[in-house]
Amino acid sequence: MTRSNFALPLGRGGSLWSLGTLFCLMACGAAPAAAQEGLPTLEELELPTAAELLARRPTDWIVLKTGGVVEAGAVQPRPDTLAQLQRRQDFVERMASRDAEGRKAELARYVRGDDPAPPAPLRPQAVARFAEEFDALSDDEIRRAVEEIGGRQAAEKLKGRTGARLRSEAVVGSRESYIGLVAQLDRLDLVLLDEELEDPEFSVAVFKVDQIIHHEDLMLRRADELLESGDMRSAYELLFALARMNSSEILPEGWPGLQERLDRAAFIDAGELLDLGLLENAMGRMEVLLDRSPDFPGGLDRLAEAADGLIGAAEQADDMREARFFLARLRNRGPQHPITLKWDGQFSSRAIALLEDAEAVAADDPSLAAERIREAARIDPTAEGVARAFTRYTRRYQVLTAGVLDLPPAEVSEDRPPPFPPTDAADRGSFLMSSRLFEIDRVDEAPHYRSNLLEGWEPTDLGRRASFRLRPRFPDWLPQPPLDAADVLAGLQDRLDPASPMFEERLAEEISGVRQLSPREFEVIFARVPLRTEGILAEPVKVLPRQVTKRDSAEGDAEAGDAAPPPGATLKTPFFPRVPDSADQPGVAVYRRAVPEPADSPQFHVAEVREKAYSDGPALMQAFRRGEFDLLVHPRPWDVPTLLKDESVLSFKSSVPAAHVLQINPRSAVMKNAELRKALLLAPDRKSIMNDAVFRTAEAQSAGLGRVISAPFPSASEATNPLLRPRSQNLTLAFALSLAAARSLGEEGAPGVPELTILAADDTVVAGVLDELAATWQRIGLKVRVVSGGDAAKLAAESPEDWDLAYRTLRMREPAREIAPLLTNSDDVTLDSLLMLSDWLRRDLIALERVGNRNDAVELLHDLHRHMRSEVRVIPLFEIDEYVFARTTVRNVEGPLVHPYQGVERWQVDAELPTDDFELPEVGR
């Protein structure tokens, strides 16, 4: 290395050193006065700003024993340069007098990080062991050690050497050469900062250097001042830059002092976040800090302060799971901290008090006992005695909780008409509240029926009559109030009596009379041989409130209090209409058994069904994963593939897919135009709309969960004509038909097709599909407006002619009976409602009502399919396979399911005790 004797510009002020000053520096000593004249002192230098430290090349301050300071480029080795040089010098001195094996031993000790002077002289056995350890080092480790001790020239000599030759030549050299290395290590090489110097390299004797303040140390000093002043942004910027400057291999723990500053910054930052009310952010900061430095002064107290606020807020919001989560995070780091003990004590006391309440009422009110113990477990499942009581009381009174996006309507009135288009929620509520003589057990090509109420039934008089026998005693699992033949006949007679508000003209055309044969037997006389006896009597058993007897009232009061059933409601029901909404449980609908199971039953079943509504799909999915409910009913289609892969949940496919169709209002004057109906069908690309609006994700689109359809029937149903394929998109033809419709419907002064009104349910999927349809129809000149939710129901009830289309989601289980109500938009198919249809459709529907042979019925349904397709009396879009998912705690569910609650009276639920085995955040470096 060349030694420069030129004048050197050192110091932040840019002043030049004189040549005499440089000679003073090179001499064995320099007078303090001379040093002060030529070099700045440490007190005179200003600490660089953060911007300067980040922008300029790394610069070290070399503080001489004379008091002067030399600013130079980054010196090596670092950090703690003087100590590292001394250590290397000591090892070289020891190697000078050793043989090859001894030198290997010393190099091995150097690489290990041992002190140069061992506590005792090395014995031959130790030397041999260390020499073997040296031979086991990698080639790179040996080259690096030689370069650190002998310099670059020594390392260059080993270039290209490997294996045994490398290990042999690494320790070659005379005693004098090693003594020369000692002298070389006694000088510190510097690179001065003056760009005008031809040779800025310089060296100074190590013994003349008092200390070296590295560039990194200057950054730490500036960071200290920034932290003290509260400039967290600049401090973090400086500290993170310093962290990036150092190799993790050379300094795995970072620059000395860096971690302490980062910890201090995190502590200060957490305090500021606490002041701003960002408690969870503050808690996260402190968890990271305590993972690195568990004993950081005040760290646990600050963490507890944040946790205390979070736990209190969660308790105030009655989110006890979240409260226990934050308490678990605090307990994980400070189990004996006063804040931990405070909340543990509060939660435990509340849980034990509820446990005592449950034990006091268990014998008289199992439902209240189960409610109390559930609440106790929700607050603190670890409280003494709660786990044992939880299993006992929840097994006696089992509650099935279903997660949904909307609840069944609480009541129907003039101000709140029944939902239209009908919703899944209304269908679920109706199913739970209704008692049926027959219900569909499964569906393949045709429906198959069963009955829980009847012991048997048989046709007589060649099928024109049928006798029915009710069970003498209902099984304990059936939540059915006492029901006799008089109850059933009273409901049927109300539906057959033209003077009754429950009169059904369609049923009156099918049944000519009923009579009671005994308290448990009755006979139905049909006007003609029915296609399926079960299908005619599958509607809920209904009795008007005026016919409630004293016996029935007493039984009802025992379960439902003084509340009378609303007009037209089902009286004999497996589950009472939902319990009046409680302000304590908003967004929850509750259905309870009309007849509780006896206390001595060998086993118990679902006693209560709760539907809990969530704000949106993501919240619903998150709650299901967290175990907040047992049954997930018809989740969003794009979530289904992920759930099907989840082995921790049970999946049950619905036996009937959901058909998405546009129902045409037969009373709409505009929709009587055939060209308009066909234009609406031909314009959209239904498959693309299904993929984009219904499935949305590539995984769901490729899962085969949906298909375009040509009729509202299930594609696998025997009612679907296999020769008819869905129509393809044809925008050109649709546009031409739209123009034809505009000429036909246009009026003087207002040409064109008027804006169409579509009724729809409040549903994310439906809204997405309608947006796509509206955009497509707009391309052919058709405009639509969507009326949804309660407004749609009100418009349909008050102005049945003022809407044109309704978006329906159908699950046709019995097409022969369900197609006529769809086409006529009437629950009770009457002659007047049929007159609104074309001659072909009217003839087909009348023939279908009168058919008594399955083969003839299938043929008629195929003809009806062809005529509906030709006239476009309904616009089929696509059908989607639906699923119900349950936690493994739900038992006795038999799929595929015709209805989400099919057989719920026989289901069992093993309630899960809430646990505190939270997946705590993975924090730390």
Side-chain angles (χ1 to χ4, degrees):
M1 179 179 292
T2 305
R3 312 300 181 210
S4 175
N5 293 326
F6 294 105
L8 306 176
L10 299 176
R12 294 179 64 233
S15 58
L16 296 180
W17 284 2
S18 66
L19 187 61
T21 304
L22 180 58
F23 282 124
C24 289
L25 182 61
M26 297 174 60
C28 292
Q36 291 174 4
E37 292 177 2
L39 297 174
T41 63
L42 191 60
E43 292 76 13
E44 293 172 347
L45 289 176
E46 296 181 10
L47 185 65
T49 65
E52 291 172 337
L53 289 168
L54 293 172
R56 74 181 188 179
R57 61 182 291 189
T59 302
D60 294 341
W61 288 0
I62 316 301
V63 182
L64 303 176
K65 290 184 178 179
T66 59
V69 178
V70 178
E71 289 186 288
V75 299
Q76 296 295 337
R78 59 196 303 118
D80 202 5
T81 302
L82 298 179
Q84 288 199 54
L85 289 175
Q86 184 61 52
R87 180 171 179 270
R88 295 177 183 182
Q89 191 178 38
D90 292 342
F91 267 105
V92 172
E93 287 179 350
R94 291 179 58 84
M95 293 174 66
S97 59
R98 301 288 193 272
D99 58 10
E101 188 173 16
R103 290 173 180 174
K104 287 183 177 181
E106 294 298 335
L107 272 177
R109 293 180 58 244
Y110 175 80
V111 173
R112 283 165 54 100
D114 292 350
D115 289 335
L122 294 180
R123 297 183 177 181
Q125 297 89 339
V127 172
R129 187 177 69 253
F130 283 124
E132 291 177 359
E133 187 175 320
F134 172 81
D135 289 335
L137 294 174
S138 68
D139 290 354
D140 289 340
E141 288 177 310
I142 293 175
R143 290 193 188 94
R144 185 164 53 247
V146 171
E147 182 177 0
E148 290 176 359
I149 287 180
R152 293 181 182 176
Q153 293 181 353
E156 285 293 328
K157 293 179 180 180
L158 298 179
K159 190 174 182 180
R161 307 291 194 269
T162 59
R165 186 174 181 182
L166 170 66
R167 285 151 179 76
S168 174
E169 295 186 10
V171 293
V172 170
S174 63
R175 182 175 182 277
E176 289 73 17
S177 64
Y178 277 93
I179 293 175
L181 282 177
V182 172
Q184 182 178 332
L185 290 171
D186 197 32
R187 301 195 66 81
L188 177 64
D189 295 331
L190 305 177
V191 178
L192 303 177
L193 301 180
D194 186 5
E195 296 179 357
E196 298 180 1
L197 290 175
E198 294 182 4
D199 187 2
E201 295 182 353
F202 185 76
S203 69
V204 63
V206 172
F207 72 87
K208 299 179 182 179
V209 179
D210 182 56
Q211 63 172 313
I212 298 176
I213 303 175
H214 294 289
H215 183 77
E216 291 85 348
D217 297 322
L218 297 175
M219 295 175 75
L220 291 179
R221 293 187 181 187
R222 175 55 68 185
D224 288 337
E225 294 189 2
L226 292 171
L227 291 174
E228 193 67 32
S229 64
D231 189 351
M232 302 300 299
R233 182 184 183 88
S234 298
Y236 271 123
E237 185 178 7
L238 204 58
L239 293 173
F240 290 155
L242 175 55
R244 291 191 297 268
M245 286 171 58
N246 296 280
S247 168
S248 59
E249 182 179 349
I250 298 174
L251 291 173
E253 300 298 326
W255 189 266
L258 172 62
Q259 195 57 63
E260 288 77 3
R261 268 65 169 202
L262 287 172
D263 290 346
R264 182 185 172 201
F267 184 77
I268 296 172
D269 196 19
E272 293 184 356
L273 291 171
L274 281 174
D275 294 339
L276 294 173
L278 302 175
L279 303 184
E280 193 164 0
N281 291 352
M283 189 173 188
R285 292 281 198 284
M286 292 311 303
E287 285 173 323
V288 174
L289 168 58
L290 292 174
D291 274 5
R292 288 195 307 253
S293 306
D295 299 325
F296 190 89
L300 186 58
D301 290 337
R302 185 154 291 181
L303 173 70
E305 182 182 355
D308 190 29
L310 289 167
I311 297 169
E315 184 194 34
Q316 188 70 23
D318 200 34
D319 189 344
M320 298 307 301
R321 178 182 173 84
E322 183 171 290
R324 299 198 322 271
F325 171 66
F326 289 124
L327 178 56
R329 288 169 64 176
L330 174 60
R331 190 187 298 115
N332 190 41
R333 291 165 175 81
Q336 298 301 318
H337 193 277
I339 298 297
T340 306
L341 299 177
K342 179 189 80 170
W343 286 111
D344 274 336
Q346 286 188 20
F347 291 166
S348 179
S349 299
R350 288 176 58 188
I352 291 174
L354 288 166
L355 169 62
E356 294 172 351
D357 289 347
E359 292 173 340
V361 301
D364 300 325
D365 194 342
S367 65
L368 183 58
E371 189 67 25
R372 291 286 188 269
I373 199 62
R374 285 176 186 275
E375 181 65 12
R378 192 176 71 91
I379 294 172
D380 186 3
T382 63
E384 185 177 359
V386 168
R388 293 190 301 273
F390 182 86
T391 301
R392 183 168 65 254
Y393 295 145
T394 56
R395 184 175 298 167
R396 171 63 182 87
Y397 189 87
Q398 298 179 22
V399 176
L400 174 73
T401 304
V404 297
L405 292 175
D406 58 344
L407 295 177
E411 59 183 11
V412 175
S413 63
E414 292 184 0
D415 296 332
R416 298 182 62 180
F420 186 85
T423 62
D424 293 349
D427 178 59
R428 295 193 306 269
S430 173
F431 184 89
L432 289 174
M433 294 188 294
S434 301
S435 177
R436 294 172 172 83
L437 286 178
F438 295 98
E439 57 186 73
I440 299 176
D441 182 51
R442 58 188 174 88
V443 176
D444 38 41
E445 291 185 348
H448 301 267
Y449 291 86
R450 67 178 175 87
S451 176
N452 288 328
L453 306 182
L454 295 174
E455 186 179 50
W457 66 94
E458 57 181 328
T460 59
D461 192 16
L462 298 179
R464 291 182 177 87
R465 295 169 182 259
S467 59
F468 303 86
R469 296 185 308 278
L470 292 165
R471 290 178 183 267
R473 181 182 181 277
F474 293 141
D476 292 341
W477 52 260
L478 185 63
Q480 175 66 54
L483 186 69
D484 54 27
D487 293 321
V488 177
L489 293 183
L492 284 174
Q493 287 167 346
D494 276 329
R495 296 164 64 191
L496 297 174
D497 182 5
S500 168
M502 296 173 62
F503 174 66
E504 297 178 16
E505 183 176 326
R506 185 186 194 187
L507 188 66
E509 288 289 329
E510 296 171 321
I511 298 178
S512 59
V514 295
R515 68 190 184 101
Q516 184 172 347
L517 303 179
S518 73
R520 293 192 300 108
E521 294 182 275
F522 62 93
E523 183 181 56
V524 176
I525 305 166
F526 298 102
R528 54 188 172 274
V529 178
L531 176 61
R532 288 190 182 87
T533 301
E534 300 93 331
I536 295 177
L537 299 177
E539 292 297 317
V541 178
K542 295 182 180 179
V543 182
L544 287 176
R546 58 178 170 78
Q547 294 174 303
V548 179
T549 65
K550 292 182 178 179
R551 173 178 59 83
D552 293 331
S553 297
E555 292 167 355
D557 291 345
E559 297 297 327
D562 298 330
T570 301
L571 180 67
K572 302 292 186 177
T573 121
F575 287 90
F576 272 157
R578 78 187 196 192
V579 175
D581 293 344
S582 169
D584 296 334
Q585 290 185 315
V588 177
V590 179
Y591 301 84
R592 288 180 181 159
R593 279 180 176 259
V595 179
E597 292 180 283
D600 59 352
S601 293
Q603 57 181 346
F604 297 96
H605 304 83
V606 171
E608 182 177 301
V609 174
R610 294 182 184 179
E611 286 201 348
K612 185 175 182 181
Y614 290 85
S615 58
D616 52 37
L620 179 71
M621 290 295 294
Q622 182 186 38
F624 187 55
R625 293 189 182 98
R626 291 172 60 175
E628 293 184 9
F629 55 85
D630 311 297
L631 197 72
L632 177 59
V633 179
H634 298 165
R636 301 173 304 174
W638 55 89
D639 289 327
V640 169
T642 302
L643 289 165
L644 289 174
K645 294 178 181 178
D646 190 346
E647 297 181 355
S648 65
V649 300
L650 306 175
S651 61
F652 302 95
K653 186 177 181 179
S654 297
S655 58
V656 180
H660 292 241
V661 304
L662 291 172
Q663 178 185 9
I664 292 174
N665 184 6
R667 295 179 173 82
S668 169
V670 174
M671 296 310 298
K672 296 183 186 298
N673 185 281
E675 289 84 1
L676 175 60
R677 298 198 302 270
K678 292 177 181 178
L680 291 170
L681 172 65
L682 293 173
D685 182 349
R686 290 175 287 171
K687 185 173 182 180
S688 295
I689 293 176
M690 176 180 68
N691 286 332
D692 295 341
V694 178
F695 292 126
R696 304 192 181 187
T697 65
E699 184 181 20
Q701 292 167 5
S702 62
L705 299 175
R707 58 211 63 87
V708 177
I709 54 176
S710 61
F713 316 132
S715 58
S717 170
E718 62 183 4
T720 301
N721 191 330
L723 300 178
L724 301 179
R725 294 286 180 263
R727 294 183 186 272
S728 301
Q729 181 190 32
N730 191 330
L731 271 176
T732 303
L733 180 55
F735 183 67
L737 290 168
S738 174
L739 292 178
R743 288 193 296 269
S744 174
L745 295 172
E747 300 177 358
E748 188 174 343
V753 178
E755 184 180 57
L756 303 179
T757 299
I758 303 180
L759 306 185
D762 277 329
D763 182 87
T764 303
V765 173
V766 172
V769 173
L770 286 176
D771 287 343
E772 297 274 354
L773 289 172
T776 302
W777 288 333
Q778 190 171 13
R779 295 175 64 186
I780 61 171
L782 301 178
K783 295 182 179 180
V784 299
R785 74 181 182 104
V786 177
V787 181
S788 60
D791 293 335
K794 189 174 182 180
L795 177 61
E798 296 178 355
S799 305
E801 298 87 7
D802 291 347
W803 59 275
D804 306 298
L805 299 164
Y807 193 108
R808 298 286 299 272
T809 305
L810 306 174
R811 298 165 186 85
M812 278 202 178
R813 304 172 178 100
E814 177 68 285
R817 294 195 63 81
E818 296 178 45
I819 187 60
L822 175 67
L823 295 177
T824 61
N825 191 38
S826 172
D827 292 336
D828 184 21
V829 180
T830 65
L831 183 59
D832 289 340
S833 64
L834 292 174
L835 290 175
M836 294 183 290
L837 303 177
S838 67
D839 291 342
W840 282 3
L841 289 177
R842 184 164 60 249
R843 185 184 67 242
D844 288 344
L845 291 175
I846 292 175
L848 192 60
E849 291 291 309
R850 297 179 179 277
V851 72
N853 177 278
R854 178 179 174 183
N855 291 334
D856 293 342
V858 171
E859 186 176 347
L860 282 170
L861 286 166
H862 288 180
D863 289 343
L864 183 62
H865 183 179
R866 186 172 64 254
H867 293 152
M868 285 192 301
R869 185 175 184 270
S870 175
E871 297 185 23
V872 193
R873 297 306 308 189
V874 64
I875 301 177
L877 299 174
F878 34 75
E879 67 178 14
I880 306 299
D881 294 333
E882 294 184 310
Y883 286 82
V884 173
F885 295 92
R887 305 190 68 78
T888 54
T889 54
V890 181
R891 296 185 287 115
N892 295 351
V893 183
E894 297 179 3
L897 297 175
V898 177
H899 191 279
Y901 292 130
Q902 180 184 354
V904 68
E905 64 275 4
R906 286 173 288 181
W907 294 1
Q908 293 179 309
V909 180
D910 298 326
E912 274 189 312
L913 181 73
T915 60
D916 284 348
D917 54 346
F918 299 107
E919 294 183 6
L920 298 179
E922 294 183 5
V923 295
R925 290 197 307 175

